[in-house]
Amino acid sequence: MQQRTIGNVPVSAVGLGGMPMSIEGRPDEKQAIATIHAALDAGVTLIDTADAYHLPGQNEVGHNEELIAKAVRSYGGDASRVIIATKGGHLRPQEGPWAQNGDPAYLKEAAKASARRLGVEAIDLYQYHRPDPQVPYAESVGALAELLDEGVIRMAGISNANVDQIKEAHEVLSGRLASVQNQFSPKFRSSEPELVLCAEMGIAFLPWSPLGGISSAPDLGSLHDEFAAVAQTHDVSPQVVALAWELAKADVVIPIPGASRPESIRDSASAPELELAPEELHRLDSVPLSSR
């Protein structure tokens, strides 16, 4: 598969988002591991997870991290180039809205717990999951700087950040901000200013829910006619067109579609092979707001 970079580390142009394999509606472990192995077989070398990817409640914190670690360990091929990115600062203590905890001391302990679950001495990429309105942003990101200095993590990223927060994190981390993970898809395009800024700064931009989210992804073609039409032209799925469109936005873009079936990630992994013509990209960029 084509390669892009996070920091100075090469990764596959399309990654795998682990969340669907651990939250409500998740598959059994056998199918989840088969999905991860299918991703690795397809050349995926970036897997994204978080300690909050679990069913609501405290007894499952880190479920997805442990699942991914188990799958990578049991893979029969070469997994030496696989980068596992995880996140901290988001919580699912109970049913309902997720919570935030951006306390620096908490984030540092959460990162160390994630490293233990992943079975690594240092986390490849650790991301502050979502800003906590109760904690100054610079203080939360400062914990990532300390984790870098202490060797607990190799690279630092942020998620669900706006333009000002990206600039602030870049400054707090003394230029060591490696990635920004924001929602971006045909359905959700309001993170385009953050994508453009990351391209200007040379920071990896990782679209989460790049196909519109777990509930909407299967219906992407029916929800977005232009993507379906372009897909028919190339004899591929609308989902592949969406990922190819995102990849064409900038060389820093690395979509991380979630999957819970081997067939889904195999399809997504083919997206870097699809080169859309300039007129097709313009057509997709020009979809009226009412259709998004």
Side-chain angles (χ1 to χ4, degrees), residues 92-266:
R92 301 196 72 191
Q94 57 193 12
E95 296 280 355
W98 295 23
Q100 291 85 41
N101 189 342
D103 178 75
Y106 168 80
L107 290 174
K108 292 185 67 175
E109 289 305 311
K112 293 171 184 176
S114 289
R116 289 192 293 270
R117 286 189 289 266
L118 293 171
V120 298
E121 293 185 5
I123 295 172
D124 295 319
L125 172 63
Y126 191 71
Q127 304 154 99
Y128 179 34
H129 202 154
R130 186 176 289 275
D132 182 349
Q134 304 302 316
V135 181
Y137 197 67
E139 292 184 13
S140 299
V141 176
L144 301 188
E146 293 180 19
L147 289 166
L148 282 169
D149 294 340
E150 295 169 10
V152 177
I153 66 176
R154 294 191 175 95
M155 294 185 289
I158 55 177
S159 183
N160 301 298
N162 61 34
V163 164
D164 290 338
Q165 288 166 337
I166 293 171
K167 293 177 179 178
E168 185 174 13
H170 181 71
E171 181 177 351
V172 171
L173 291 166
S174 302
R176 295 179 292 176
L177 179 62
S179 66
V180 173
Q181 183 178 148
N182 277 15
Q183 185 176 9
F184 188 83
S185 70
K187 174 183 176 182
F188 188 96
R189 306 191 189 194
S190 61
S191 285
E192 189 125 24
E194 289 78 19
L195 188 161
V196 170
L197 177 62
C198 285
E200 293 172 352
M201 299 176 70
I203 296 168
F205 184 85
L206 315 180
W208 63 263
S209 288
L211 302 176
I214 295 173
S215 61
S216 298
D219 301 319
L220 191 149
S222 60
L223 294 171
H224 306 280
D225 293 343
E226 297 293 342
F227 284 83
V230 173
Q232 187 172 14
T233 299
H234 292 276
D235 193 24
V236 299
S237 70
Q239 290 80 5
V240 166
V241 171
L243 294 173
W245 167 71
E246 291 164 23
L247 287 166
K249 287 284 181 183
D251 290 341
V252 299
V253 176
I254 307 169
I256 47 172
S260 58
R261 298 183 301 117
E263 298 83 1
S264 297
I265 190 57
R266 290 192 194 106

